[in-house]
Amino acid sequence: MKLPSTTFSQLSILLGAILGVGMFGLPYLTARAGWTSLLLWFLVAGFVLLIVGFCYIRILHNSQGQHRLPGYVEQHLGHRWKQAAIFTTTMSIWGALLVYAILGGQFLHDLFADSVGGSSLFYLLVFYVSAAALLYVQAKTIARVEILLLCFFLVLLAMLFITGSRTVQFDFSSWDIRYFILPYGAVLFSLWGIDVVPDAAELGERSEKHMRKTYFIALASAVLIYCLFVYAILSMSGMASSRDALSGLVGLLPQKVLLFGYIIGFIATFTSFISLGMNLHKTFQFDYGQSKHLALFSTLAFPLAVALAGVSDYLNVMGIVGSLAVGAEAIIILHMYDRFSHGRAHLYRQRDWLTFLTRPLMLLLGFGVILGILTPFLLKYYG
C-alpha cells in the first residue's frame, strides 16, 4: 500500500525531532549500566511516552485554534498552568538545542578541522547559523529537508551497523545494578519528540487515529534505530566507548568509515535542532504573540549564550533536561488530559482507558525527577 506524501512529511518531522544527540550518549552509559538496563529503560520510557503522546494527540484533536502546548494548557487548565507549561517547554527545548549545538558543532569540527581549519567555536556558530536559516522558512520546506537527511542518515547508519557487527568487543549479557538508573534521563531525552506533534499535524492528515499511528511508528522506529546504533558502537569499542560514541572509535575503524559516523552525528543533531527549534519558534509566535523575527531571536539566543559561556558537558545537560524538564512537561500533559477527560466523561459510555494510566504515570515521572538529580553525581563518580 502506498502511503501519501503527507504521511512521510509528518513522520519525518516526528522522527527528526526524536532522533538526535541522545543516541550518542547511550553507548557510554550502556557500557556502564549494561545492555539489559538500556532495554528495560527503553521499554519503560517508550511506554510512558507513547501514552503521553496519545493523550496530547487527543487533546490536539479536540481543541480549538492553532497553538502549541502552552496554548492548549491554557484552554484546559487555565492561565497559571499555561505559565508552567511555557517554562517547562521553553527550558526543555532550550536545553535540547544547547545539547544539539554542542555536539553538532563538535561533529562539524571533526569532519572539517583537519582540512579546512577552524576552532570548535567556529563550527558551533556555523551549525547555529545554518539551523537559524532553515527555521526562518516554512514547515513544509523543513519537512522536505528532513526527509532527505533522514534517508541519508539511515543509509549511513546501516553501513555503520554492518561494520560493527563483524566484531563483538562487549559482553551484552552483563550489567551493573549500581548504575542501573544511569541511562534514565538520556533515554527519556532521546525519545522525546511530543513537542512537534502540532507541527506534524499541520502538514496533512490530522485525524486522531492517523496521528496516533504515525506517532507510534516514529517512536518504535527510534527505539529500533537507537538499539542498532548502540549495538554497533559497543561491538566495536566495548567498555572503551567514549562519551560522544564516535571519538572512541579512532584507531578502530578506517578513517573513511569514521567520517561516515561524524556525518551521521551531524545529521542527527541538525534535524532534531530544526524540528524542536521550529516548535519553540511557533510557541513564541502563537502563544506569546511575538513577531517572526523576535520569536527566532527568543528561540536561539539563550542556548547560544550558554554554549558561548563554556558549558560543554552534554551528558550532564542531557540527563538533567531529560529527567527534569522533559519529565515535568510530560506530567503537565498527563494532568491536562486527566482534567480534559473528566470534563468530557458524559460523552463516553465508560471511562476512557487512558485516564486509568495518567495518575500512575505522573507519579512514576515524579520519581524520575529524583533519578535526574542523582544522574550527574553518578556520572561524576564514575568519571
Side-chain angles (χ1 to χ4, degrees):
M1 181 178 67
K2 184 178 180 180
L3 293 175
S5 59
T6 54
T7 299
F8 285 112
S9 297
Q10 292 172 319
L11 187 59
S12 67
I13 286 290
L14 289 169
L15 262 180
I18 297 173
L19 292 177
V21 72
M23 69 190 296
F24 298 100
L26 291 176
Y28 176 84
L29 298 174
T30 304
R32 277 73 197 161
W35 180 254
T36 303
S37 297
L38 178 72
L39 295 181
L40 287 174
W41 281 123
F42 267 139
L43 183 64
V44 172
F47 174 75
V48 171
L49 293 186
L50 184 67
I51 300 303
V52 174
F54 281 3
C55 290
Y56 190 26
I57 290 169
R58 175 159 291 176
I59 290 170
L60 181 71
H61 184 67
N62 290 277
S63 300
Q64 300 296 322
Q66 188 180 41
H67 301 283
R68 293 302 179 267
L69 179 60
Y72 293 117
V73 169
E74 183 176 34
Q75 282 190 26
H76 300 285
L77 295 178
H79 183 71
R80 290 186 178 181
W81 277 99
K82 177 187 177 181
Q83 298 307 310
I86 288 175
F87 178 78
T88 57
T89 298
T90 303
M91 294 307 297
S92 65
I93 296 182
W94 270 350
L97 296 182
L98 172 62
V99 173
Y100 298 147
I102 291 171
L103 206 52
Q106 186 58 51
F107 287 137
L108 280 180
H109 177 270
D110 294 336
L111 273 169
F112 298 112
D114 290 341
S115 57
V116 179
S119 64
S120 297
L121 176 60
F122 169 76
Y123 287 102
L124 184 147
L125 293 175
V126 170
F127 181 95
Y128 229 79
V129 170
S130 302
L134 263 182
L135 286 178
Y136 194 74
V137 303
Q138 295 181 350
K140 289 185 178 180
T141 302
I142 292 177
R144 295 188 189 102
V145 174
E146 292 269 23
I147 292 172
L148 293 175
L149 290 177
L150 282 172
C151 290
F152 190 42
F153 168 84
L154 292 175
V155 170
L156 293 178
L157 184 63
M159 295 173 63
L160 188 66
F161 177 74
I162 292 171
T163 302
S165 299
R166 295 173 182 172
T167 177
V168 178
Q169 303 291 335
F170 182 74
D171 183 4
F172 286 91
S173 64
S174 66
W175 66 304
D176 193 333
I177 189 64
R178 295 175 300 170
Y179 305 108
F180 175 73
I181 69 172
L182 201 58
Y184 169 74
V187 167
L188 196 63
F189 180 96
S190 68
L191 292 178
W192 185 256
I194 292 172
D195 284 318
V196 303
V197 167
D199 299 292
E202 289 174 5
L203 293 175
E205 174 61 53
R206 186 187 166 108
S207 71
E208 181 180 342
K209 181 178 179 181
H210 175 84
M211 284 304 302
R212 282 191 179 190
K213 180 180 178 181
T214 305
Y215 176 71
F216 172 78
I217 293 173
L219 192 63
S221 299
V223 170
L224 177 60
I225 290 170
Y226 285 147
C227 287
L228 293 177
F229 178 78
V230 173
Y231 179 86
I233 297 298
L234 290 181
S235 294
M236 292 182 283
S237 59
M239 290 299 294
S241 177
S242 60
R243 293 169 77 91
D244 67 354
L246 298 179
S247 61
L249 300 177
V250 175
L252 299 177
L253 292 178
Q255 185 62 23
K256 290 183 178 180
V257 177
L258 196 57
L259 289 177
F260 286 151
Y262 292 141
I263 296 173
I264 289 174
F266 168 73
I267 293 174
T269 53
F270 191 75
T271 55
S272 292
F273 190 102
I274 59 178
S275 290
L276 289 181
M278 177 177 61
N279 179 270
L280 187 57
H281 183 210
K282 290 187 177 182
T283 297
F284 285 125
Q285 278 189 283
F286 298 150
D287 297 322
Y288 260 153
Q290 293 184 354
S291 67
K292 186 175 183 179
H293 294 87
L294 181 57
L296 186 62
F297 176 81
S298 300
T299 299
L300 299 177
F302 181 77
L304 180 60
V306 174
L308 294 178
V311 175
S312 59
D313 191 340
Y314 85 98
L315 276 182
N316 272 334
V317 176
M318 186 168 63
I320 293 172
V321 171
S323 55
L324 300 183
V326 168
E329 195 172 345
I331 289 173
I332 289 175
I333 292 174
L334 291 171
H335 177 55
M336 176 172 58
Y337 186 79
D338 188 65
R339 181 77 61 85
F340 163 82
S341 62
H342 281 86
R344 295 170 58 86
H346 64 283
L347 299 178
Y348 301 99
R349 294 182 178 179
Q350 56 185 359
R351 287 188 66 190
D352 177 14
W353 66 273
L354 288 172
T355 60
F356 290 100
L357 298 172
T358 52
R359 294 181 183 181
L361 291 185
M362 281 190 277
L363 290 174
L364 182 63
L365 287 165
F367 178 69
V369 170
I370 301 174
L371 300 186
I373 296 172
L374 294 176
T375 297
F377 295 101
L378 277 175
L379 282 170
K380 183 178 180 181
Y381 173 76
Y382 199 92

